[in-house]
Amino acid sequence: LPALLYNCLFLLQLHYNNLWLRCQQHAMHSQIKMTERSGKCNILKFVKVLSFAFIFVILVIFVAATVRTLTFDVNAGLQLAPWEKTNNIAYDINQQQRGELLANFKDAIRIPTVSTSRTDQNTTALRDFNDLLRKAFPTVFSSHLVQHEVVANYSHLFWVPGSDLALVPYMLLAHIDVVPAEESDGWDAPPFSAKEIDGFIYGRGTIDNKQSVMGILQALEYLLIRGYSPQRGFFIGLGHDEEIQGLHGAMNIVKLLKKKGVQLAFVLDEGLAVLDGVITGLQGPAALIGISEKGHATVKLSVSMAPGHSSMPPWESSIGILAGAVKRLEDNPMPRLFGEGPERGTFEHLFGLPLKFVMSNMWLFSPLLGRVMERSPETNAFVRTTTAVTMFNAGVKTNVLPSQAEAYVNLRIHSSQSLQEVLDLIQSIVGDERVKMELMHGFDPLPISSYDETSFGFQIIKKTVLDQFPQVTVAPGICIGNTDSRHYTDLTKDIYRFAPTWFRPGDAQRFHGINERISKKNYEELVGFYFNLIQNCDIKDLPSPHSAVHEL
């Protein structure tokens, strides 16, 4: 009996233990399931919170962008103040004068004042051009009001004193020389013929930059004939070597002005233009006034190796090493910097709805806009420092391994970069100690000139543009090329780059290209622009932008 009782107790204990274990296992299994369910719930909760947070952020950004769009005034800081009524001499020319001004302009185009290099200029043509100026503008050269001197043999400096000596003078610039052109390149008319086709005058220099050279002096000629005497004095500088960096013409004019202690209210040179149908999404034409220009650098890359016979070539040749370096430069463009320079002001002030939503919120959309704009060579120039391989020299004979290979790279430096930063990037991208890098010449981007409603030069130019072309939108812009005006930074803080030359789709390619041309109507408009600009500069001070006392 005790043994039987013991066995029963043992079996009961064993059964109880089994039940306990099963209960524990069941509890653990239930707990695991609960934990899994709890984990899934926590993940779902986190996803929901994250989604709501994302939607909230997007909503906040959208509201902020919308508020910015609705409150952003594209003319903020650019308003043209109500102008005092002035007694400007009206620009009205008769048929005879119209014929004379066009004949003078055509004569200027026919003189091939070509600058090929620093050591190759057509000096005979430059002397002929000097004679033409005296013949075309007799009043300018004979007036007691105008002081004139020839600088560096072929450049010209004019000084027209104002009656009010307290007014700081300004300066108008243009250049006489042009780049080479050959009819065999595919011109519809010989490049130095000034031939008329469908109302256009064809020829090298029609838009770069003899239209301004002749337009400025023609305007002054007409003003002097009509008895005009300025209140604010002004200079006119005509350089003869702008296409080869202006080292003799513009630089010597600047030295002369510095010696006289001259300081200028502003400088107006060539640069940007009136763009009609060129900017996608913009309704109507836009006059862009250049407030800065990109920097410039020319870099020589070279590889030197021992010469040899082509029958026993090394694993890598000088040409191959250099070609690899050039390919890396082309495959790795400079950083995208759209919106970090003065181009931001251009796009912010140009567009209305619906593009205004994007353009007025560069803080949000500049990376996207940069990606879109870099797809086109024309707009890519606004996005970054551009890199162009322009010359590649190597080899002297088909069966000789060249000891030397050279490539020249031309860079136009974005306003938010420096020359040194660009050189460091080139060195990093090339990444080959066998490739020697040498800076041939270069300079940083130019300072940004003022362009708000208190900026005298900008507002004078804007008023003159709108008086003549009330249908255009006026905005600041940046020149992707370089001008003589960069030499004048010590004489003024405000340098503007603009001429009212109309550019329509395809016209930009005529600049330094084939079939350069200007319409007869547009040239007459240029003369009228300078005619009115000179008179508008006689105002002593800009009127208050918020004043309602004066009428436009």
Side-chain angles (χ1 to χ4, degrees):
L1 184 62
L4 181 63
L5 185 61
Y6 176 80
N7 287 332
C8 288
L9 288 172
F10 177 76
L11 290 172
L12 285 172
Q13 181 68 31
L14 187 63
H15 182 66
Y16 172 78
N17 287 342
N18 287 336
L19 285 175
W20 186 84
L21 286 171
R22 287 180 183 178
C23 287
Q24 288 293 102
Q25 289 174 348
H26 181 72
M28 289 176 64
H29 186 66
S30 298
Q31 189 173 6
I32 289 170
K33 285 187 175 181
M34 289 178 66
T35 302
E36 288 178 350
R37 284 197 294 269
S38 176
K40 289 179 181 178
C41 289
N42 288 337
I43 292 171
L44 287 172
K45 286 179 181 178
F46 178 74
V47 170
K48 285 181 179 179
V49 170
L50 194 63
S51 299
F52 280 121
F54 180 74
I55 292 170
F56 178 75
V57 169
I58 292 296
L59 185 61
V60 169
I61 291 174
F62 178 77
V63 170
T66 302
V67 170
R68 163 79 173 168
T69 303
L70 295 176
T71 57
F72 181 75
D73 181 4
V74 295
N75 285 317
L78 299 177
Q79 289 95 338
L80 186 65
W83 213 267
E84 293 182 6
K85 285 185 176 179
T86 55
N87 297 318
N88 283 0
I89 301 169
Y91 175 68
D92 50 355
I93 57 175
N94 56 39
Q95 199 60 36
Q96 180 182 345
Q97 290 173 317
R98 182 172 286 108
E100 289 173 352
L101 73 86
L102 290 174
N104 289 338
F105 180 58
K106 289 179 181 180
D107 285 344
I109 299 303
R110 293 187 183 106
I111 301 175
T113 52
V114 174
S115 292
T116 303
S117 69
R118 293 186 192 178
T119 57
D120 186 3
Q121 270 196 288
N122 190 337
T123 54
T124 300
L126 289 170
R127 283 192 292 269
D128 291 342
F129 199 88
N130 291 353
D131 294 338
L132 170 67
L133 294 182
R134 287 172 168 81
K135 175 186 172 184
F137 310 115
T139 310
V140 170
F141 283 89
S142 63
S143 173
H144 69 281
L145 287 175
V146 181
Q147 300 173 25
H148 166 256
E149 56 186 305
V150 175
V151 179
N153 297 321
Y154 310 107
S155 290
H156 296 265
L157 176 63
F158 299 87
W159 163 235
V160 187
S163 58
D164 189 341
L165 299 180
L167 300 182
V168 181
Y170 61 98
M171 190 163 191
L172 305 177
L173 300 181
H175 67 87
I176 295 166
D177 62 326
V178 299
V179 295
E182 297 292 339
E183 187 176 359
S184 58
D185 292 336
W187 284 70
D188 293 341
F192 296 101
S193 66
K195 183 178 178 180
E196 277 189 42
I197 303 176
D198 298 328
F200 287 87
I201 300 170
Y202 280 68
R204 180 63 84 221
T206 50
I207 59 175
D208 182 26
N209 175 239
K210 288 180 179 176
Q211 87 281 23
S212 291
V213 171
M214 301 300 286
I216 292 168
L217 291 181
Q218 189 70 70
L220 180 57
E221 178 83 2
Y222 286 155
L223 284 168
L224 294 172
I225 289 173
R226 289 161 171 76
Y228 171 74
S229 178
Q231 294 181 54
R232 184 185 298 271
F234 62 96
F235 294 90
I236 298 172
L238 307 178
H240 73 275
D241 59 346
E242 190 271 351
E243 298 292 359
I244 49 175
Q245 300 179 32
L247 301 181
H248 295 288
M251 286 191 70
N252 279 304
I253 291 174
V254 170
K255 286 179 183 177
L256 197 57
L257 294 177
K258 281 185 175 180
K259 193 177 293 185
K260 295 179 179 180
V262 171
Q263 284 294 305
L264 301 168
F266 70 92
V267 164
L268 175 61
D269 195 6
E270 64 165 338
L272 298 180
V274 182
L275 308 182
D276 187 11
V278 174
I279 303 175
T280 303
L282 179 64
Q283 300 298 319
L288 299 184
I289 301 171
I291 57 171
S292 183
E293 56 187 64
K294 297 180 83 172
H296 182 107
T298 297
V299 173
K300 181 173 81 170
L301 302 177
S302 60
V303 177
S304 298
M305 297 181 69
H309 198 281
S310 63
S311 62
M312 297 175 289
W315 300 121
E316 288 184 288
S317 66
S318 59
I319 293 177
I321 293 169
L322 186 58
V326 166
K327 187 67 166 63
R328 287 191 293 278
L329 278 178
E330 292 188 333
D331 288 344
N332 297 275
M334 292 289 163
R336 193 185 304 111
L337 297 169
F338 180 73
E340 297 183 26
E343 75 279 356
R344 179 170 185 156
T346 303
F347 288 85
E348 281 185 340
H349 292 285
L350 275 182
F351 295 91
L353 291 171
L355 285 177
K356 182 182 176 183
F357 181 79
V358 175
M359 300 303 179
S360 62
N361 290 284
M362 288 285 190
W363 59 276
L364 180 60
F365 293 111
S366 59
L368 175 63
L369 279 169
R371 287 185 177 275
V372 171
M373 294 182 69
E374 69 183 357
R375 296 177 182 176
S376 164
E378 289 81 4
T379 51
N380 181 57
F382 290 98
V383 172
R384 58 169 47 87
T385 295
T386 54
T387 307
V389 182
T390 53
M391 294 174 65
F392 201 111
N393 304 316
V396 293
K397 202 170 184 289
T398 57
N399 63 347
V400 176
L401 295 169
S403 61
Q404 186 81 5
E406 296 177 346
Y408 288 84
V409 183
N410 186 259
L411 303 109
R412 302 305 172 105
I413 304 170
H414 189 275
S415 294
S416 62
Q417 278 187 312
S418 68
L419 173 61
Q420 189 57 52
E421 287 172 342
V422 169
L423 295 178
D424 291 343
L425 280 168
I426 294 174
Q427 193 80 66
S428 174
I429 293 169
V430 169
D432 191 332
E433 293 181 354
R434 297 171 296 179
V435 181
K436 179 184 175 184
M437 185 179 81
E438 181 181 355
L439 175 65
M440 306 308 293
H441 58 83
F443 51 86
D444 287 321
L446 274 292
I448 299 171
S449 302
S450 64
Y451 59 95
D452 61 15
E453 57 197 21
T454 64
S455 172
F456 182 83
F458 187 89
Q459 290 296 326
I460 291 287
I461 299 165
K462 180 172 183 177
K463 171 182 168 52
T464 309
V465 170
L466 290 178
D467 282 349
Q468 190 162 6
F469 309 111
Q471 76 276 28
V472 308
T473 301
V474 180
I478 181 167
C479 288
I480 58 177
N482 298 118
T483 69
D484 265 348
S485 66
R486 70 182 185 276
H487 299 298
Y488 289 78
T489 52
D490 288 341
L491 301 182
T492 180
K493 64 181 180 61
D494 286 331
I495 298 174
Y496 303 101
R497 304 149 183 93
F498 173 79
T501 309
W502 282 68
F503 275 27
R504 294 179 172 83
D507 285 341
Q509 286 69 40
R510 302 178 192 275
F511 193 83
H512 284 202
I514 63 171
N515 290 329
E516 185 178 345
R517 68 181 190 181
I518 191 172
S519 72
K520 293 190 295 181
K521 177 186 177 185
N522 193 191
Y523 177 65
E524 291 178 31
E525 290 169 339
L526 259 98
V527 177
F529 171 81
Y530 292 115
F531 185 93
N532 291 318
L533 177 77
I534 291 170
Q535 296 183 83
N536 287 339
C537 285
D538 281 338
I539 192 168
K540 292 184 178 181
D541 295 296
L542 290 177
S544 170
H546 305 296
S547 171
V549 175
H550 304 298
E551 297 180 14
L552 183 64

